[in-house]
Amino acid sequence: MAGKLDIQQGVVELQHGSGGRATATLLQELFLPAFANPILAAGNDQATLPQFQNRLAITTDSHVIYPLFFPGGNIGSLAVHGTINDLAVGGARPKHLAANFILEEGFPLADLQRIVNHMAEAAIDAGVTVVTGDTKVVERGKGDGVYITTTGVGILDSDTILGADRIRAGDAILVNGTLGDHGIAVMAARPDSGLVTELQSDSQSLHRLTAAMLQACPSIHCMRDPTRGGLAAALNELAHQARVGMRIEESHLPVTAEVRAACELLGFDPVNIANEGKLIAFCSQQHAPALLAAIREHPQGKEAAIIGTVVEDPSCKVSMRTRFGGTRLLEWKWGDPLPRIC
Amino acid sequence: MAGKLDIQQGVVELQHGSGGRATATLLQELFLPAFANPILAAGNDQATLPQFQNRLAITTDSHVIYPLFFPGGNIGSLAVHGTINDLAVGGARPKHLAANFILEEGFPLADLQRIVNHMAEAAIDAGVTVVTGDTKVVERGKGDGVYITTTGVGILDSDTILGADRIRAGDAILVNGTLGDHGIAVMAARPDSGLVTELQSDSQSLHRLTAAMLQACPSIHCMRDPTRGGLAAALNELAHQARVGMRIEESHLPVTAEVRAACELLGFDPVNIANEGKLIAFCSQQHAPALLAAIREHPQGKEAAIIGTVVEDPSCKVSMRTRFGGTRLLEWKWGDPLPRIC
């Protein structure tokens, strides 16, 4: 990993929270050495706890999205969906949430009530309960309305062991639908964006889809939700963890006309834009058609596609064959073009 | 509960994060109705999850303490101790932590490294591992250096069921040591406090003490750590949950000379000041001497004392017999005199 952290003189930069290489560097050089243990080192978005015969999974996510309300969701529903999805892509059935609120003095209680209600609705809809929580308040100007941290606990019903280390050269790479909807919808909701779009965030809980996928194809190797940093960050991170390369077909990537238009306008690429209701999955070529069929049968996977293949590559490059027939590197960007997207 | 929340017109106030009645009102009127479920309604600082034969406990705490570094600790060690203690007073053996960091752009990485190192040391010392985590960054002026949320998972080894609902009239009330050290030490560390003291925070993990207590006295009814709002807030909250009254003897309260002096100077009362290494325990009078002896035998309980008695009182009042022989109400204050103390 390039870009060594200057721990003596350096400061936290916005990009350290982007989900890109900057975040990975901060984790690798500052957090992981301090907390070193095998469960954390596994590098998954959720931890499997050995005390419970590997049947208990835990994951945690802080949400600092700006703005708090956006088309298709708000920080409350997002805080439920995001954490449920980290459990779901680990193969766990979400059961309980812990919820923490850091509130800024002066934040309207009516807005807090709306957020909490949406959170509760999302939890009920997903069949999970908020079993514990905490609330802190900071002075005006020391927060931004509300930050929510949700920690999820889930049960691993399936015997399938999922993880980056199970990805193999030759694997097919699948996605359950269109890319970049969340990032563009949130960006358009920012007062200064100048962007007008009908687009809604794809924020949703994916655990029913992942359960259907695991039932149809128990030999899935790995799943991941491409949030901050989008598809490109998720694929690059997995490629490094699995010590493989990946080849993506741009023409196979599901992208709505609205996202494509917004990206062209802004000079972005949909592969770098955050999603909150999407997952990527890896399985052998042999099982890929059945898995694709199972995803497409599900309401959350109608636009699913096989988007590429895992290849042997000790340099762990992710490349994309463009619609024009050329090939370009799907770069692991240092940051996210849109900070505070989740 | 008095002080109805004006959800339509009201805003978040600093006192809503104080651990006093303001916090309880926000929970009762806004959060609990939305997330209604029996585990949350139990009103403990940790949740026991039924899927695992009640052997799994989970708790969560956000830490927004100011300043980040103070005599006897910092936000990193505090974030470990605070969450471990919520598990410990629930009778659970802490096993794993999830750690979330909300970082402010511009925060020195060297300070972050120090905090993370102290956190890792506190975790190793307590025998817990940080198994998962998340890092977000917000713009300059939207945070205050670093906020840390820790979620803890523990195992309930003992068959003892602890909870406010097990407190009975006649129970003895015990504390393991001096009150108010944390709050006064942190306050003195604030640049504008004008307070000079040698005092250190009592921030420490109490799970070894609670294990020794449960072994010596398996019939403990309830334990709680008196953090935000101090002893008075913890006792009042428990009195309301248990529908009982409590009578405290001021002359039995362990308080250091430094805390007493600082409180006299500032017009505070040690019973309202936060602790981060103290617990209160309830047991029958019959078992109280053995429990007190067990606490005093432990390095974290040398100054333990029996401080009062639970009484029948449908109005749930907590009163204190003062050193001068009078009796006064140990008020459940609306807020904490010191915001952002944990």
Coordinates of all heavy atoms in Angstrom, one line a residue, chain B residues 34-90:
Chain B
A34 N -40.6 4.7 19.9 CA -40.3 4.3 18.5 C -39.7 2.9 18.4 O -40.1 2.1 17.5 CB -39.3 5.3 17.9
F35 N -38.8 2.5 19.3 CA -38.1 1.3 19.1 C -38.7 0.2 20.0 O -38.1 -0.8 20.3 CB -36.6 1.4 19.5 CG -35.9 2.3 18.6 CD1 -35.0 3.3 19.1 CD2 -36.0 2.2 17.2 CE1 -34.3 4.2 18.3 CE2 -35.3 3.1 16.4 CZ -34.5 4.0 16.9
A36 N -40.0 0.4 20.5 CA -40.6 -0.4 21.5 C -40.3 -1.9 21.4 O -40.6 -2.5 20.3 CB -42.1 -0.2 21.6
N37 N -39.7 -2.6 22.4 CA -39.5 -4.0 22.4 C -39.1 -4.4 23.8 O -38.6 -3.6 24.6 CB -38.5 -4.5 21.4 CG -37.1 -4.1 21.6 OD1 -36.5 -4.6 22.6 ND2 -36.6 -3.2 20.8
P38 N -39.4 -5.6 24.2 CA -39.2 -6.0 25.6 C -37.8 -5.9 26.1 O -37.5 -5.5 27.3 CB -39.7 -7.5 25.7 CG -40.4 -7.7 24.4 CD -40.0 -6.7 23.4
I39 N -36.8 -6.2 25.3 CA -35.4 -6.2 25.7 C -35.0 -4.7 26.0 O -34.4 -4.5 27.1 CB -34.5 -6.8 24.6 CG1 -34.9 -8.2 24.2 CG2 -33.0 -6.8 25.1 CD1 -34.1 -8.8 23.2
L40 N -35.4 -3.8 25.2 CA -35.0 -2.4 25.4 C -35.8 -1.9 26.6 O -35.3 -1.1 27.4 CB -35.4 -1.6 24.1 CG -34.9 -0.2 24.1 CD1 -33.4 -0.1 24.1 CD2 -35.5 0.5 22.8
A41 N -37.1 -2.3 26.7 CA -37.9 -1.8 27.8 C -37.4 -2.2 29.2 O -37.8 -1.6 30.2 CB -39.4 -2.3 27.6
A42 N -36.6 -3.3 29.2 CA -36.1 -3.7 30.5 C -35.3 -2.6 31.2 O -35.1 -2.6 32.4 CB -35.2 -5.0 30.3
G43 N -34.8 -1.7 30.4 CA -34.2 -0.5 31.0 C -32.8 -0.7 31.6 O -32.4 0.1 32.4
N44 N -32.1 -1.7 31.3 CA -30.8 -1.9 31.7 C -29.8 -1.2 30.8 O -30.1 -0.9 29.7 CB -30.5 -3.4 31.9 CG -31.4 -4.1 32.9 OD1 -31.6 -3.5 34.0 ND2 -31.9 -5.2 32.5
D45 N -28.6 -1.1 31.3 CA -27.6 -0.4 30.4 C -27.0 -1.4 29.4 O -26.1 -1.1 28.6 CB -26.4 0.2 31.3 CG -26.9 1.5 31.9 OD1 -27.9 2.0 31.5 OD2 -26.2 2.0 32.8
Q46 N -27.4 -2.7 29.5 CA -27.0 -3.7 28.5 C -28.2 -4.6 28.2 O -29.1 -4.7 29.0 CB -25.8 -4.5 29.1 CG -26.1 -5.5 30.1 CD -26.6 -4.9 31.4 OE1 -27.7 -5.1 31.9 NE2 -25.8 -3.9 32.0
A47 N -28.1 -5.2 27.0 CA -29.3 -6.0 26.6 C -28.8 -7.5 26.7 O -27.7 -7.8 26.3 CB -29.7 -5.7 25.2
T48 N -29.7 -8.4 27.1 CA -29.4 -9.8 27.1 C -30.2 -10.4 26.0 O -31.4 -10.2 25.8 CB -29.9 -10.4 28.5 OG1 -29.1 -9.7 29.5 CG2 -29.6 -11.9 28.5
L49 N -29.5 -11.1 25.1 CA -30.2 -11.6 23.9 C -30.7 -13.0 24.0 O -29.9 -13.9 24.3 CB -29.2 -11.5 22.7 CG -28.5 -10.1 22.6 CD1 -27.6 -10.1 21.4 CD2 -29.6 -9.0 22.4
P50 N -32.0 -13.2 23.8 CA -32.6 -14.4 24.1 C -32.2 -15.6 23.1 O -32.3 -16.7 23.5 CB -34.1 -14.1 23.9 CG -34.2 -12.9 23.1 CD -33.0 -12.1 23.4
Q51 N -31.7 -15.2 22.0 CA -31.3 -16.3 21.0 C -30.2 -17.2 21.6 O -30.0 -18.3 21.1 CB -30.8 -15.7 19.7 CG -31.8 -15.3 18.7 CD -32.4 -13.9 19.2 OE1 -31.8 -13.2 19.9 NE2 -33.7 -13.7 18.8
F52 N -29.5 -16.7 22.5 CA -28.3 -17.4 23.0 C -28.6 -17.9 24.4 O -27.7 -17.7 25.3 CB -27.1 -16.5 22.9 CG -26.9 -16.1 21.4 CD1 -27.4 -15.0 20.9 CD2 -26.2 -17.0 20.6 CE1 -27.2 -14.6 19.6 CE2 -26.0 -16.6 19.2 CZ -26.6 -15.4 18.8
Q53 N -29.8 -18.4 24.7 CA -30.1 -18.8 26.1 C -29.7 -17.8 27.1 O -29.3 -18.1 28.2 CB -29.5 -20.2 26.4 CG -30.0 -21.3 25.6 CD -29.2 -21.5 24.3 OE1 -28.0 -21.4 24.4 NE2 -29.8 -21.8 23.2
N54 N -30.0 -16.5 26.8 CA -29.7 -15.4 27.7 C -28.2 -15.4 28.2 O -27.9 -14.9 29.2 CB -30.6 -15.5 28.9 CG -32.0 -15.0 28.6 OD1 -32.2 -14.5 27.5 ND2 -32.9 -15.3 29.4
R55 N -27.3 -16.0 27.4 CA -25.9 -16.0 27.8 C -25.1 -14.9 27.1 O -23.9 -14.8 27.3 CB -25.4 -17.4 27.5 CG -26.0 -18.4 28.4 CD -25.4 -19.8 28.3 NE -24.0 -19.8 28.7 CZ -23.7 -19.8 30.0 NH1 -24.6 -19.8 30.9 NH2 -22.4 -19.7 30.4
L56 N -25.8 -14.2 26.2 CA -25.0 -13.1 25.4 C -25.6 -11.8 25.9 O -26.8 -11.5 25.8 CB -25.3 -13.4 24.0 CG -24.5 -12.4 23.1 CD1 -23.0 -12.6 23.1 CD2 -25.0 -12.5 21.6
A57 N -24.7 -10.9 26.2 CA -25.1 -9.5 26.6 C -24.4 -8.5 25.6 O -23.3 -8.8 25.1 CB -24.6 -9.2 28.0
I58 N -25.1 -7.4 25.3 CA -24.5 -6.4 24.4 C -24.8 -5.0 25.0 O -25.9 -4.8 25.6 CB -25.1 -6.6 23.0 CG1 -24.5 -5.5 22.1 CG2 -26.6 -6.5 23.0 CD1 -24.8 -5.8 20.6
T59 N -23.9 -4.1 24.9 CA -24.1 -2.8 25.3 C -23.3 -1.8 24.4 O -22.4 -2.2 23.7 CB -23.6 -2.6 26.8 OG1 -24.0 -1.3 27.3 CG2 -22.1 -2.7 26.9
T60 N -23.7 -0.6 24.5 CA -23.1 0.4 23.6 C -23.0 1.8 24.2 O -23.9 2.1 25.0 CB -23.8 0.4 22.2 OG1 -23.0 1.2 21.3 CG2 -25.2 1.1 22.3
D61 N -22.0 2.5 23.9 CA -21.8 3.9 24.5 C -21.0 4.7 23.6 O -20.0 4.3 23.0 CB -20.9 3.7 25.8 CG -21.7 4.0 27.1 OD1 -22.5 5.0 27.0 OD2 -21.6 3.3 28.0
S62 N -21.5 6.0 23.4 CA -20.7 7.0 22.6 C -20.0 7.8 23.6 O -20.5 8.2 24.7 CB -21.7 7.8 21.8 OG -22.2 7.0 20.7
H63 N -18.8 8.2 23.2 CA -17.9 9.0 24.1 C -17.6 10.3 23.4 O -17.1 10.3 22.3 CB -16.7 8.2 24.5 CG -17.0 6.9 25.1 ND1 -17.2 6.8 26.5 CD2 -17.4 5.7 24.6 CE1 -17.6 5.6 26.8 NE2 -17.7 4.9 25.6
V64 N -17.9 11.4 24.1 CA -17.7 12.8 23.5 C -17.0 13.6 24.5 O -17.2 14.9 24.5 CB -19.1 13.4 23.1 CG1 -19.8 12.6 22.0 CG2 -20.0 13.6 24.3
I65 N -16.3 13.0 25.4 CA -15.7 13.7 26.5 C -14.8 14.9 26.0 O -14.1 14.8 25.0 CB -14.9 12.8 27.4 CG1 -14.5 13.4 28.7 CG2 -13.6 12.2 26.7 CD1 -14.1 12.4 29.8
Y66 N -14.8 16.0 26.8 CA -13.9 17.1 26.6 C -13.3 17.5 27.9 O -14.0 17.6 28.9 CB -14.8 18.3 26.0 CG -14.0 19.6 26.1 CD1 -13.0 19.8 25.1 CD2 -14.1 20.5 27.1 CE1 -12.3 21.0 25.1 CE2 -13.4 21.7 27.1 CZ -12.4 21.9 26.1 OH -11.7 23.0 26.2
P67 N -12.0 17.6 28.0 CA -11.0 17.4 26.9 C -10.7 15.9 26.6 O -11.1 15.1 27.4 CB -9.8 18.1 27.4 CG -9.8 18.0 28.9 CD -11.3 18.0 29.2
L68 N -10.1 15.7 25.5 CA -9.8 14.3 25.1 C -8.8 13.6 26.0 O -8.9 12.4 26.2 CB -9.3 14.2 23.6 CG -10.2 14.8 22.6 CD1 -9.5 14.9 21.2 CD2 -11.5 13.9 22.5
F69 N -7.9 14.4 26.5 CA -6.9 13.8 27.5 C -7.1 14.5 28.8 O -7.3 15.7 28.9 CB -5.5 14.1 27.0 CG -5.2 13.5 25.6 CD1 -5.4 14.2 24.4 CD2 -4.7 12.2 25.6 CE1 -5.1 13.6 23.2 CE2 -4.4 11.6 24.3 CZ -4.6 12.3 23.2
F70 N -7.1 13.7 29.9 CA -7.3 14.2 31.2 C -6.5 13.3 32.2 O -6.1 12.2 31.9 CB -8.8 14.2 31.6 CG -9.4 12.8 31.3 CD1 -9.4 11.8 32.2 CD2 -10.0 12.6 30.1 CE1 -10.0 10.6 32.0 CE2 -10.6 11.4 29.8 CZ -10.6 10.3 30.7
P71 N -6.2 13.8 33.4 CA -5.4 13.1 34.4 C -6.1 11.7 34.7 O -7.2 11.7 35.1 CB -5.4 13.9 35.6 CG -5.7 15.3 35.1 CD -6.6 15.2 34.0
G72 N -5.3 10.6 34.4 CA -5.9 9.3 34.7 C -6.5 8.6 33.5 O -7.0 7.5 33.6
G73 N -6.5 9.3 32.3 CA -7.1 8.6 31.2 C -7.2 9.5 30.0 O -6.7 10.7 30.0
N74 N -7.9 9.0 29.0 CA -8.2 9.8 27.8 C -9.4 9.1 27.1 O -9.9 8.1 27.6 CB -7.0 9.9 26.8 CG -6.6 8.5 26.4 OD1 -7.3 7.8 25.7 ND2 -5.4 8.0 27.0
I75 N -9.9 9.8 26.1 CA -11.2 9.2 25.4 C -11.0 7.8 25.0 O -12.0 7.0 25.0 CB -11.6 10.2 24.3 CG1 -13.0 9.8 23.8 CG2 -10.6 10.1 23.1 CD1 -13.7 10.8 22.8
G76 N -9.8 7.4 24.7 CA -9.6 6.0 24.2 C -9.7 5.0 25.3 O -10.5 4.0 25.2
S77 N -9.0 5.2 26.4 CA -9.2 4.2 27.6 C -10.6 4.3 28.1 O -11.2 3.3 28.5 CB -8.1 4.6 28.6 OG -8.2 5.9 29.0
L78 N -11.1 5.5 28.2 CA -12.5 5.7 28.7 C -13.5 4.9 27.9 O -14.4 4.3 28.4 CB -12.9 7.2 28.7 CG -14.3 7.5 29.2 CD1 -14.4 7.3 30.7 CD2 -14.7 8.9 28.8
A79 N -13.3 4.9 26.6 CA -14.3 4.2 25.7 C -14.3 2.7 25.9 O -15.3 2.0 25.7 CB -14.0 4.6 24.2
V80 N -13.1 2.2 26.3 CA -13.0 0.8 26.6 C -13.6 0.5 28.0 O -14.5 -0.3 28.2 CB -11.6 0.3 26.6 CG1 -11.4 -1.1 27.1 CG2 -11.0 0.4 25.2
H81 N -13.2 1.3 29.0 CA -13.7 1.1 30.4 C -15.2 1.3 30.5 O -15.9 0.5 31.1 CB -13.0 2.1 31.3 CG -11.5 1.9 31.4 ND1 -10.7 3.0 31.8 CD2 -10.7 0.8 31.2 CE1 -9.4 2.5 31.7 NE2 -9.4 1.2 31.4
G82 N -15.7 2.3 29.9 CA -17.2 2.6 30.0 C -18.0 1.5 29.5 O -19.0 1.1 30.1
T83 N -17.7 0.9 28.4 CA -18.5 -0.1 27.8 C -18.3 -1.5 28.5 O -19.2 -2.2 28.7 CB -18.1 -0.2 26.3 OG1 -18.6 1.0 25.7 CG2 -18.8 -1.4 25.6
I84 N -17.0 -1.7 28.9 CA -16.8 -2.9 29.7 C -17.6 -2.9 31.0 O -18.2 -3.9 31.4 CB -15.3 -3.1 30.0 CG1 -14.6 -3.6 28.7 CG2 -15.0 -4.0 31.2 CD1 -13.1 -3.8 28.9
N85 N -17.7 -1.7 31.6 CA -18.4 -1.6 32.9 C -19.9 -1.8 32.7 O -20.5 -2.4 33.6 CB -18.1 -0.2 33.6 CG -16.6 -0.2 34.0 OD1 -15.9 -1.2 34.1 ND2 -16.1 1.0 34.4
D86 N -20.4 -1.4 31.6 CA -21.9 -1.6 31.4 C -22.1 -3.1 31.3 O -23.2 -3.6 31.7 CB -22.4 -0.9 30.2 CG -22.6 0.6 30.4 OD1 -22.8 0.9 31.6 OD2 -22.7 1.4 29.5
L87 N -21.2 -3.9 30.7 CA -21.3 -5.3 30.6 C -21.2 -5.9 32.0 O -21.9 -6.7 32.5 CB -20.3 -5.9 29.7 CG -20.5 -5.7 28.2 CD1 -19.3 -6.2 27.4 CD2 -21.8 -6.4 27.7
A88 N -20.1 -5.4 32.7 CA -19.7 -6.0 34.0 C -20.9 -5.9 35.0 O -21.2 -6.8 35.7 CB -18.5 -5.3 34.5
V89 N -21.5 -4.7 35.1 CA -22.6 -4.5 36.1 C -23.8 -5.3 35.7 O -24.7 -5.5 36.5 CB -22.9 -3.0 36.3 CG1 -21.7 -2.3 36.9 CG2 -23.4 -2.3 35.1
G90 N -23.9 -5.8 34.5 CA -25.0 -6.7 34.1 C -24.6 -8.1 34.3 O -25.4 -9.0 34.0

